[in-house]
Amino acid sequence: MLLHGIGKLYSGVGWIAQELASHNLPGFLAYGVFIGEIIAPLMVILGLHTRVGAVLMAGNMLVAIVLVHMGQIFSLSKSGGWALELQGFFLFTALAIFFLGAGRYAVRN
């Protein structure tokens, strides 16, 4: 997820702001993607407030699925897998990290 956030540093969040506006939400919320895709993954990777980072990542993915991918939620890809496989991976992995915690090698338990 971190690499997706870094990619958005270069491409910008204008399309996210437009998507939010189409759902009658303020465009400045698009900058929250940097929290959910850069800061939160770094928190998880470093083991610093891991559960908070995981909740932020899961929230970010829920918003992405609801705003952008809702039409694909029951679709299959061309190869037969779930169309939202990557988004689901990010969401359910973040939830697993939230419930399991940082583990033995965390900076802070």
Side-chain angles (χ1 to χ4, degrees):
M1 187 177 270
L2 177 63
L3 297 177
H4 285 269
I6 291 171
K8 287 181 181 80
L9 282 174
Y10 296 106
S11 66
V13 293
W15 67 273
I16 299 170
Q18 291 173 353
E19 193 65 39
L20 288 165
S22 73
H23 288 84
N24 297 320
L25 295 168
F28 73 87
L29 292 176
Y31 292 100
V33 76
F34 295 126
I35 295 169
E37 292 188 11
I38 296 175
I39 295 171
L42 285 173
M43 291 169 69
V44 170
I45 290 168
L46 295 173
L48 186 65
H49 299 289
T50 303
R51 290 180 192 233
V52 174
V55 165
L56 291 171
M57 288 170 42
N60 185 65
M61 288 315 304
L62 284 173
V63 170
I65 289 170
V66 168
L67 289 181
V68 181
H69 301 289
M70 205 59 173
Q72 301 170 307
I73 201 151
F74 296 112
S75 300
L76 297 177
S77 67
K78 292 178 183 176
S79 61
W82 186 30
L84 299 182
E85 198 168 278
L86 181 64
Q87 293 83 356
F89 173 77
F90 287 150
L91 173 63
F92 296 121
T93 301
L95 289 173
I97 292 170
F98 170 74
F99 288 116
L100 296 173
R104 176 180 303 180
Y105 300 108
V107 173
R108 178 184 172 137
N109 287 332

